[in-house]
Amino acid sequence: MTTTENILALAERNSRRARDIIRDTRLESIWQSVGAEVHLVGSLSMGLLMKHRDIDFHVYSSPLTLTDSFAAMARLAEHPSIVKLECANRLHTDEACVEWHAWYRDADGELWQIDMIHLVRGSRYDGYFEKMASRITAVLTDELRAVILRLKYETPATEKIMGVEYYQAVLRDGVRTYAELTEWRMAHPVAGIIEWMP
């Protein structure tokens, strides 16, 4: 049985590594070089990054041009540890964004996924996930943080669970074990973006 201390230590190690990767890639300055504003969101911003190696950013531009978006990613792609890039153009949807995913191979050979959602300033999700992160952080106690990290740790690598599912289950509905989380997810199937915050 893995102790809470070991889980917290792993979370801390992965958070430090993620921040090293952000510095190493100069990701924030790359986006700023095309006039964009960069915000760290997601589990890393809330101290809830566990074993799923992902780093999430929301990036804002007004106007947002594909030329600028691709220029920033061309600069990121020059980094020798970036091994893959993917792009989805969602500018003509409610999300009003260009969705970028980059994969970074670290010194230990582990792959990290960097998600960069490049949004039109003033669009529907402008600031939404920053507010969600702020609200979740405000209600997190050490005990609740440990519960969320343990649930993430106990999730099999083959199971895809969005971060907000853990947070909603634990913070709103009192889920405390992985078995309870599995039941909760069956009762709360996901369809698209989950718009919830405490």
Side-chain angles (χ1 to χ4, degrees):
M1 181 99 173
T2 304
T3 66
T4 298
E5 290 75 21
N6 289 345
I7 290 172
L8 293 175
L10 177 59
E12 179 59 33
R13 173 196 169 273
N14 284 342
S15 291
R16 273 197 316 272
R17 190 70 193 103
R19 292 184 186 279
D20 289 344
I21 289 166
I22 293 168
R23 280 190 294 274
D24 181 47
T25 56
R26 299 181 57 250
L27 190 147
E28 291 167 304
S29 64
I30 285 173
W31 279 111
Q32 289 161 359
S33 75
V34 297
E37 188 178 323
V38 190
H39 295 260
L40 182 66
V41 295
S43 58
L44 179 60
S45 73
M46 296 180 280
L48 294 170
L49 182 68
M50 189 59 234
K51 61 181 185 178
H52 183 61
R53 293 181 296 276
D54 66 335
I55 302 167
D56 300 297
F57 284 96
H58 278 189
V59 181
Y60 299 94
S61 293
S62 180
L64 189 163
T65 69
L66 286 172
T67 301
D68 287 343
S69 206
F70 274 82
M73 288 303 92
R75 287 188 60 196
L76 181 65
E78 290 173 356
H79 194 289
S81 295
I82 297 292
V83 297
K84 181 180 172 184
L85 277 174
E86 283 183 2
C87 173
N89 183 347
R90 302 190 190 285
L91 285 172
H92 306 293
T93 72
D94 283 350
E95 295 172 48
C97 69
V98 180
E99 191 178 302
W100 288 101
H101 306 284
W103 282 265
Y104 176 105
R105 191 175 301 282
D106 70 15
D108 298 323
E110 294 183 321
L111 273 181
W112 289 76
Q113 183 172 325
I114 307 170
D115 296 329
M116 296 156 285
I117 311 303
H118 191 189
L119 296 113
V120 175
R121 175 59 79 194
S123 60
R124 177 177 178 180
Y125 290 108
D126 182 343
Y128 180 84
F129 291 95
E130 291 88 335
K131 184 177 180 184
M132 176 194 286
S134 174
R135 296 266 290 269
I136 288 170
T137 303
V139 299
L140 269 184
T141 62
D142 289 345
E143 178 194 351
L144 290 170
R145 180 170 179 266
V147 169
I148 290 168
L149 290 174
R150 177 172 287 282
L151 290 174
K152 287 185 172 188
Y153 179 83
E154 291 175 355
T155 300
T158 52
E159 192 71 33
K160 292 287 281 181
I161 303 179
M162 291 169 27
V164 68
E165 293 181 82
Y166 295 103
Y167 314 145
Q168 191 176 31
V170 171
L171 301 177
R172 187 191 71 186
D173 295 335
V175 166
R176 293 293 181 267
T177 67
Y178 189 72
E180 290 173 357
L181 179 65
T182 301
E183 281 186 29
W184 183 91
R185 291 186 72 227
M186 289 174 65
H188 301 84
V190 174
I193 294 173
I194 300 175
E195 295 188 12
W196 172 86
M197 60 182 77

